[in-house]
Amino acid sequence: MPHTPLPDGWASYTKELGLNVQRRRLALGMSQEHVAYNANLSRFAYQQLERGESRPGTPSNPSLLNVMAVAQVLGITMDDLLPEPWPDLHTR
């Protein structure tokens, strides 16, 4: 199966998503370990989400399930968590 390229602006979008997650976590005084555990993620997977990278220089592509779980642990809606504007996915 061929690799589908990520849309333009995806790297900056996932970094902003990670910053939103981190800001909320810090505002609540939660540790990365606490959020990861309660979202049923490994600490490593959670750290990748906060960094917006899966490997250095490679933007993350977190699953909807993982983002929803983190949002629930942080007591925030997806609308409040996801950066605006969304990347244009029509041009992929």
Side-chain angles (χ1 to χ4, degrees):
M1 176 179 244
H3 181 269
T4 304
L6 296 172
D8 291 339
W10 187 252
S12 60
Y13 188 80
T14 59
K15 284 196 183 292
E16 187 63 32
L17 170 61
L19 286 172
N20 288 349
V21 169
Q22 184 182 53
R23 285 184 201 111
R24 178 68 176 178
R25 175 181 63 79
L26 292 173
L28 295 172
M30 294 180 181
S31 68
Q32 288 181 335
E33 292 82 4
H34 175 83
V35 177
Y37 178 81
N38 287 288
N40 200 29
L41 299 173
S42 70
R43 187 171 57 109
F44 181 70
Y46 178 79
Q47 288 171 332
Q48 288 177 317
L49 176 63
E50 270 198 15
R51 276 194 318 270
E53 291 185 330
S54 58
R55 292 186 310 267
T58 304
S60 66
N61 193 10
S63 73
L64 179 59
L65 180 71
N66 289 349
V67 176
M68 289 176 75
V70 168
Q72 288 176 4
V73 171
L74 296 175
I76 195 169
T77 67
M78 295 288 288
D79 285 339
D80 291 332
L81 189 60
L82 295 175
E84 292 280 341
W86 295 0
D88 183 3
L89 302 179
H90 292 102
T91 59
R92 292 182 4 160

